[in-house]
Amino acid sequence: MKMDCYNKIIRLSNTFYNDGLKKAGMRDLSGAANSLRKSLQYYKANIPARNLLGLVYYEMGEVVDALSEWVISRSLQPEGNPAEEYLAAVQSNRSRLSSVNQTIKKYNQALLYCQQNSTDLAIIQLKKVLSMNPALIKGRQLLALLYMEEGKYERARKELLEAEKIDTGNLTTLRYLREANQHLQKDTSAAKSGSRKKEEMASYQSGNETIIQPMNVRDMSPLMTILNLIIGVAIGALITWFLIIPTVRQNAVSDARKAELEANNELTTRTQELNGLNEEIEQLKAQIKNMEGESEDTQKIITNYEQMITVCYEYSQQNIQAAGDGMEKIDPALLGVQAKSVYDKMNGLVDEQYMAAVYEQAEQDYNSRNFAAAVTGLEKVVQADEDHDDGYAIYHLAHSYRQTGDVENAKKYYQRMIELHPGTQRARASQQYLDELNSQQPQ
């Protein structure tokens, strides 16, 4: 049942992956990203889907998101993963990485200017962003929105058409483009009407000729011509003094202030870029650490299940001691419900036979005076059953510790033998050994 559910999840993940691949081939990048994200929701270890999602993000100008997907992909499959080549290609281009960092900061600065209603500065920042990263769709969308707010619908339409070339199915781009086209149609449909004024003409007879001249033209004598010339020069000088010169000065001051503002803005942007870069470094370090932790946990679970399979195999081969040794290496907390049930059942089957096999081997080691090996086996038996074999296990363990020179453990188990079986010959012998060991130690 669980395997059927697992296979169904894998099929759903692959179905959404295929849909995303199809949309990506049609340049419907936003649609492809949605399908690939759904694929990864069903099965996060779908490496082709995750790598393709990174490529889609990269095509949309979202380089940081692309790098994140490839890093996760490489963590899930370190060997034979195309994500390794993608990461190497991007990381080897240091100028590209620097440009990406600056793009993010400038885009965030443009958003801040929008919140402060500084539309001109926001447009300047977005132009810089698009000069460094022309594929950043959200940058073109925001710039088009600012142009439409200023009534520059033709410029907005140009930016939206560029965004549409990158991602043909982006709903935000299509919605903005429809609005821009509607406004442009209204502007072209409004007819500009005006009439030119005809200059009124006057005619009079001079001898046999008819003279035609405008009504506002007067016949001037040479004196009036010179006087008008002087008055015109004076008026021109006054206009220059009162209008042109102040305008030039004002423009110079405005240019200076604008240059100062841009310098301050550039300094602020650099500072924010540096701070943001440091934050991104810390975030990436944290992400890598988390992914390493997830990878280690996954490996522990896999190792735990492999150990469980080994125990079942050893038990089926009647190799009880190997099965018992393997049971000690299994962590029940890392097993699922069904596997935990198998573990409990196997533990009950192996435990009694395992202790008997370990004790038998330990007794053989003890009788052959291999006391170091006997200590290992007898210690396991005593830890599981302190009074195993009517106390002989703990009695022989004390002797083995004494023979290996471990006085403290020998005294400990001699004392325990006296407490468990008082009045017996083994208890009396244990007391003698205990007194002997105590007398040998310096007071």
Side-chain angles (χ1 to χ4, degrees), residues 33 40 53 61 69 77 97 101 129 191 193 199 215 232 260 271 285 290 293 301 312 335 338 342 359-360 380 423 433:
L40 294 176
L53 180 58
E69 294 299 332
Q77 181 182 317
L97 287 176
N101 290 329
V129 168
S193 62
E199 188 177 4
M215 290 290 292
E260 182 181 2
T271 304
K285 287 182 179 179
N290 291 336
I301 293 173
C312 293
L335 298 174
Q338 188 173 359
V342 174
Y359 182 61
E360 181 181 356
K380 290 183 180 179
Y433 286 124

mmCIF file of all heavy atoms in Angstrom, residues 33 40 53 61 69 77 97 101 129 191 193 199 215 232 260 271 285 290 293 301 312 335 338 342 359-360 380 423 433:
data_model
loop_
_atom_site.group_PDB
_atom_site.id
_atom_site.type_symbol
_atom_site.label_atom_id
_atom_site.label_comp_id
_atom_site.label_asym_id
_atom_site.label_seq_id
_atom_site.Cartn_x
_atom_site.Cartn_y
_atom_site.Cartn_z
ATOM 1 N N ALA A 33 7.732 27.612 -14.286
ATOM 2 C CA ALA A 33 8.162 27.698 -12.882
ATOM 3 C C ALA A 33 7.065 27.180 -11.958
ATOM 4 O O ALA A 33 7.348 26.450 -10.994
ATOM 5 C CB ALA A 33 8.537 29.138 -12.530
ATOM 6 N N LEU A 40 8.141 19.653 -7.359
ATOM 7 C CA LEU A 40 9.014 19.521 -6.195
ATOM 8 C C LEU A 40 8.218 19.438 -4.897
ATOM 9 O O LEU A 40 8.708 18.914 -3.897
ATOM 10 C CB LEU A 40 9.988 20.696 -6.138
ATOM 11 C CG LEU A 40 11.000 20.736 -7.287
ATOM 12 C CD1 LEU A 40 11.862 21.987 -7.203
ATOM 13 C CD2 LEU A 40 11.881 19.502 -7.276
ATOM 14 N N LEU A 53 14.141 24.066 -12.908
ATOM 15 C CA LEU A 53 13.608 25.252 -12.233
ATOM 16 C C LEU A 53 14.707 26.298 -12.063
ATOM 17 O O LEU A 53 14.475 27.497 -12.235
ATOM 18 C CB LEU A 53 13.022 24.862 -10.880
ATOM 19 C CG LEU A 53 12.412 26.011 -10.051
ATOM 20 C CD1 LEU A 53 11.305 26.716 -10.824
ATOM 21 C CD2 LEU A 53 11.883 25.482 -8.725
ATOM 22 N N GLY A 61 16.153 36.133 -14.988
ATOM 23 C CA GLY A 61 17.001 37.116 -14.317
ATOM 24 C C GLY A 61 17.092 36.915 -12.829
ATOM 25 O O GLY A 61 17.762 37.692 -12.135
ATOM 26 N N GLU A 69 18.450 26.764 -5.996
ATOM 27 C CA GLU A 69 17.932 25.475 -6.463
ATOM 28 C C GLU A 69 19.074 24.528 -6.830
ATOM 29 O O GLU A 69 19.020 23.331 -6.525
ATOM 30 C CB GLU A 69 17.017 25.689 -7.674
ATOM 31 C CG GLU A 69 15.736 26.445 -7.387
ATOM 32 C CD GLU A 69 14.841 25.745 -6.380
ATOM 33 O OE1 GLU A 69 14.912 24.493 -6.312
ATOM 34 O OE2 GLU A 69 14.096 26.431 -5.666
ATOM 35 N N GLN A 77 22.086 15.133 -4.612
ATOM 36 C CA GLN A 77 22.764 14.174 -5.488
ATOM 37 C C GLN A 77 24.161 14.711 -5.827
ATOM 38 O O GLN A 77 24.349 15.398 -6.830
ATOM 39 C CB GLN A 77 21.948 13.944 -6.766
ATOM 40 C CG GLN A 77 22.588 12.929 -7.720
ATOM 41 C CD GLN A 77 21.786 12.767 -8.990
ATOM 42 O OE1 GLN A 77 20.574 12.690 -8.944
ATOM 43 N NE2 GLN A 77 22.463 12.723 -10.131
ATOM 44 N N LEU A 97 28.735 37.562 -10.965
ATOM 45 C CA LEU A 97 28.235 37.518 -9.590
ATOM 46 C C LEU A 97 28.159 38.907 -8.985
ATOM 47 O O LEU A 97 27.191 39.267 -8.303
ATOM 48 C CB LEU A 97 29.143 36.623 -8.735
ATOM 49 C CG LEU A 97 29.035 35.121 -8.986
ATOM 50 C CD1 LEU A 97 30.054 34.366 -8.146
ATOM 51 C CD2 LEU A 97 27.646 34.617 -8.673
ATOM 52 N N ASN A 101 24.760 40.903 -7.630
ATOM 53 C CA ASN A 101 24.614 41.531 -6.309
ATOM 54 C C ASN A 101 24.209 42.996 -6.439
ATOM 55 O O ASN A 101 23.332 43.486 -5.716
ATOM 56 C CB ASN A 101 25.922 41.407 -5.530
ATOM 57 C CG ASN A 101 26.204 39.980 -5.115
ATOM 58 O OD1 ASN A 101 25.278 39.218 -4.880
ATOM 59 N ND2 ASN A 101 27.460 39.620 -5.026
ATOM 60 N N VAL A 129 19.632 48.934 -13.408
ATOM 61 C CA VAL A 129 19.399 47.511 -13.171
ATOM 62 C C VAL A 129 19.304 46.744 -14.488
ATOM 63 O O VAL A 129 19.937 45.705 -14.687
ATOM 64 C CB VAL A 129 18.112 47.317 -12.332
ATOM 65 C CG1 VAL A 129 17.691 45.840 -12.326
ATOM 66 C CG2 VAL A 129 18.321 47.799 -10.905
ATOM 67 N N ALA A 191 -8.554 63.380 -32.098
ATOM 68 C CA ALA A 191 -8.069 64.218 -33.216
ATOM 69 C C ALA A 191 -7.681 65.594 -32.704
ATOM 70 O O ALA A 191 -8.375 66.185 -31.892
ATOM 71 C CB ALA A 191 -9.148 64.336 -34.273
ATOM 72 N N SER A 193 -7.448 69.135 -33.509
ATOM 73 C CA SER A 193 -7.983 70.112 -34.489
ATOM 74 C C SER A 193 -7.487 71.516 -34.154
ATOM 75 O O SER A 193 -7.365 71.868 -32.992
ATOM 76 C CB SER A 193 -9.513 70.069 -34.480
ATOM 77 O OG SER A 193 -10.006 70.442 -33.217
ATOM 78 N N GLU A 199 -3.442 85.605 -42.245
ATOM 79 C CA GLU A 199 -2.948 86.981 -42.059
ATOM 80 C C GLU A 199 -3.754 87.943 -42.931
ATOM 81 O O GLU A 199 -3.934 87.709 -44.123
ATOM 82 C CB GLU A 199 -1.474 87.045 -42.465
ATOM 83 C CG GLU A 199 -0.835 88.357 -42.117
ATOM 84 C CD GLU A 199 0.636 88.355 -42.466
ATOM 85 O OE1 GLU A 199 1.091 87.341 -43.042
ATOM 86 O OE2 GLU A 199 1.295 89.339 -42.172
ATOM 87 N N MET A 215 -1.824 93.990 -42.660
ATOM 88 C CA MET A 215 -2.414 95.136 -41.988
ATOM 89 C C MET A 215 -1.504 95.691 -40.910
ATOM 90 O O MET A 215 -1.519 96.871 -40.606
ATOM 91 C CB MET A 215 -3.742 94.711 -41.359
ATOM 92 C CG MET A 215 -4.843 94.431 -42.394
ATOM 93 S SD MET A 215 -5.395 95.926 -43.186
ATOM 94 C CE MET A 215 -6.193 96.741 -41.818
ATOM 95 N N GLY A 232 14.856 97.764 -29.917
ATOM 96 C CA GLY A 232 14.933 96.294 -29.969
ATOM 97 C C GLY A 232 16.179 95.770 -29.280
ATOM 98 O O GLY A 232 16.136 94.771 -28.552
ATOM 99 N N GLU A 260 25.081 66.309 -7.038
ATOM 100 C CA GLU A 260 25.316 66.006 -5.620
ATOM 101 C C GLU A 260 24.372 64.900 -5.146
ATOM 102 O O GLU A 260 24.778 63.984 -4.418
ATOM 103 C CB GLU A 260 25.106 67.269 -4.787
ATOM 104 C CG GLU A 260 25.370 67.053 -3.291
ATOM 105 C CD GLU A 260 25.123 68.324 -2.497
ATOM 106 O OE1 GLU A 260 24.715 69.341 -3.107
ATOM 107 O OE2 GLU A 260 25.318 68.294 -1.278
ATOM 108 N N THR A 271 26.934 51.477 0.002
ATOM 109 C CA THR A 271 26.900 51.043 1.402
ATOM 110 C C THR A 271 25.866 49.938 1.600
ATOM 111 O O THR A 271 26.128 48.923 2.265
ATOM 112 C CB THR A 271 26.573 52.237 2.312
ATOM 113 O OG1 THR A 271 27.528 53.274 2.094
ATOM 114 C CG2 THR A 271 26.605 51.817 3.775
ATOM 115 N N LYS A 285 25.566 30.756 4.083
ATOM 116 C CA LYS A 285 26.251 29.860 5.017
ATOM 117 C C LYS A 285 25.241 29.068 5.837
ATOM 118 O O LYS A 285 25.407 27.858 6.053
ATOM 119 C CB LYS A 285 27.157 30.671 5.944
ATOM 120 C CG LYS A 285 28.420 31.203 5.281
ATOM 121 C CD LYS A 285 29.276 31.956 6.292
ATOM 122 C CE LYS A 285 30.561 32.480 5.641
ATOM 123 N NZ LYS A 285 31.380 33.251 6.634
ATOM 124 N N ASN A 290 22.310 24.041 6.955
ATOM 125 C CA ASN A 290 21.049 23.313 7.103
ATOM 126 C C ASN A 290 20.984 22.139 6.135
ATOM 127 O O ASN A 290 20.541 21.044 6.493
ATOM 128 C CB ASN A 290 19.868 24.250 6.874
ATOM 129 C CG ASN A 290 19.721 25.273 7.983
ATOM 130 O OD1 ASN A 290 20.185 25.044 9.111
ATOM 131 N ND2 ASN A 290 19.093 26.394 7.692
ATOM 132 N N GLY A 293 23.127 19.401 7.299
ATOM 133 C CA GLY A 293 22.476 18.680 8.387
ATOM 134 C C GLY A 293 21.410 17.736 7.872
ATOM 135 O O GLY A 293 21.294 16.591 8.330
ATOM 136 N N ILE A 301 19.510 7.666 8.462
ATOM 137 C CA ILE A 301 18.301 6.847 8.307
ATOM 138 C C ILE A 301 18.566 5.689 7.354
ATOM 139 O O ILE A 301 18.182 4.542 7.611
ATOM 140 C CB ILE A 301 17.141 7.723 7.797
ATOM 141 C CG1 ILE A 301 16.743 8.747 8.877
ATOM 142 C CG2 ILE A 301 15.943 6.857 7.432
ATOM 143 C CD1 ILE A 301 15.718 9.756 8.403
ATOM 144 N N CYS A 312 18.326 -9.023 9.806
ATOM 145 C CA CYS A 312 17.363 -10.031 9.341
ATOM 146 C C CYS A 312 18.070 -11.139 8.550
ATOM 147 O O CYS A 312 17.741 -12.336 8.697
ATOM 148 C CB CYS A 312 16.292 -9.364 8.485
ATOM 149 S SG CYS A 312 15.220 -8.234 9.395
ATOM 150 N N LEU A 335 13.507 4.677 12.906
ATOM 151 C CA LEU A 335 12.707 3.748 12.122
ATOM 152 C C LEU A 335 11.271 4.235 12.014
ATOM 153 O O LEU A 335 10.756 4.903 12.917
ATOM 154 C CB LEU A 335 12.723 2.356 12.764
ATOM 155 C CG LEU A 335 14.095 1.655 12.862
ATOM 156 C CD1 LEU A 335 13.974 0.360 13.638
ATOM 157 C CD2 LEU A 335 14.663 1.380 11.471
ATOM 158 N N GLN A 338 6.165 0.836 10.761
ATOM 159 C CA GLN A 338 6.207 -0.562 10.335
ATOM 160 C C GLN A 338 7.583 -1.175 10.619
ATOM 161 O O GLN A 338 7.680 -2.308 11.106
ATOM 162 C CB GLN A 338 5.868 -0.657 8.861
ATOM 163 C CG GLN A 338 5.690 -2.096 8.354
ATOM 164 C CD GLN A 338 5.194 -2.132 6.924
ATOM 165 O OE1 GLN A 338 4.971 -1.106 6.326
ATOM 166 N NE2 GLN A 338 5.003 -3.327 6.379
ATOM 167 N N VAL A 342 8.826 -4.399 13.130
ATOM 168 C CA VAL A 342 9.737 -5.493 12.746
ATOM 169 C C VAL A 342 10.930 -5.554 13.691
ATOM 170 O O VAL A 342 11.382 -6.638 14.098
ATOM 171 C CB VAL A 342 10.203 -5.302 11.290
ATOM 172 C CG1 VAL A 342 11.252 -6.339 10.909
ATOM 173 C CG2 VAL A 342 9.019 -5.372 10.349
ATOM 174 N N TYR A 359 27.371 -15.700 25.823
ATOM 175 C CA TYR A 359 27.858 -16.277 27.088
ATOM 176 C C TYR A 359 28.683 -17.531 26.825
ATOM 177 O O TYR A 359 29.721 -17.758 27.445
ATOM 178 C CB TYR A 359 26.674 -16.576 27.994
ATOM 179 C CG TYR A 359 27.086 -17.121 29.351
ATOM 180 C CD1 TYR A 359 27.879 -16.363 30.207
ATOM 181 C CD2 TYR A 359 26.706 -18.397 29.757
ATOM 182 C CE1 TYR A 359 28.265 -16.851 31.449
ATOM 183 C CE2 TYR A 359 27.086 -18.897 30.989
ATOM 184 C CZ TYR A 359 27.871 -18.124 31.833
ATOM 185 O OH TYR A 359 28.257 -18.604 33.058
ATOM 186 N N GLU A 360 28.220 -18.326 25.857
ATOM 187 C CA GLU A 360 28.965 -19.552 25.526
ATOM 188 C C GLU A 360 30.352 -19.208 25.003
ATOM 189 O O GLU A 360 31.347 -19.816 25.405
ATOM 190 C CB GLU A 360 28.174 -20.346 24.483
ATOM 191 C CG GLU A 360 28.860 -21.656 24.087
ATOM 192 C CD GLU A 360 28.059 -22.410 23.032
ATOM 193 O OE1 GLU A 360 26.956 -21.944 22.685
ATOM 194 O OE2 GLU A 360 28.533 -23.445 22.551
ATOM 195 N N LYS A 380 28.707 -7.849 28.328
ATOM 196 C CA LYS A 380 27.422 -7.769 27.641
ATOM 197 C C LYS A 380 26.356 -8.586 28.357
ATOM 198 O O LYS A 380 25.217 -8.141 28.534
ATOM 199 C CB LYS A 380 27.557 -8.267 26.202
ATOM 200 C CG LYS A 380 28.342 -7.369 25.278
ATOM 201 C CD LYS A 380 28.348 -7.935 23.872
ATOM 202 C CE LYS A 380 29.149 -7.039 22.914
ATOM 203 N NZ LYS A 380 29.162 -7.607 21.543
ATOM 204 N N GLY A 423 26.897 -16.282 51.574
ATOM 205 C CA GLY A 423 26.988 -17.586 52.219
ATOM 206 C C GLY A 423 27.413 -18.701 51.312
ATOM 207 O O GLY A 423 27.626 -19.835 51.786
ATOM 208 N N TYR A 433 39.312 -12.763 47.553
ATOM 209 C CA TYR A 433 39.942 -11.997 46.473
ATOM 210 C C TYR A 433 39.827 -10.500 46.727
ATOM 211 O O TYR A 433 40.768 -9.727 46.484
ATOM 212 C CB TYR A 433 39.294 -12.350 45.134
ATOM 213 C CG TYR A 433 39.700 -13.708 44.603
ATOM 214 C CD1 TYR A 433 38.733 -14.663 44.301
ATOM 215 C CD2 TYR A 433 41.047 -14.037 44.393
ATOM 216 C CE1 TYR A 433 39.086 -15.916 43.815
ATOM 217 C CE2 TYR A 433 41.400 -15.274 43.903
ATOM 218 C CZ TYR A 433 40.432 -16.209 43.620
ATOM 219 O OH TYR A 433 40.780 -17.434 43.126
#
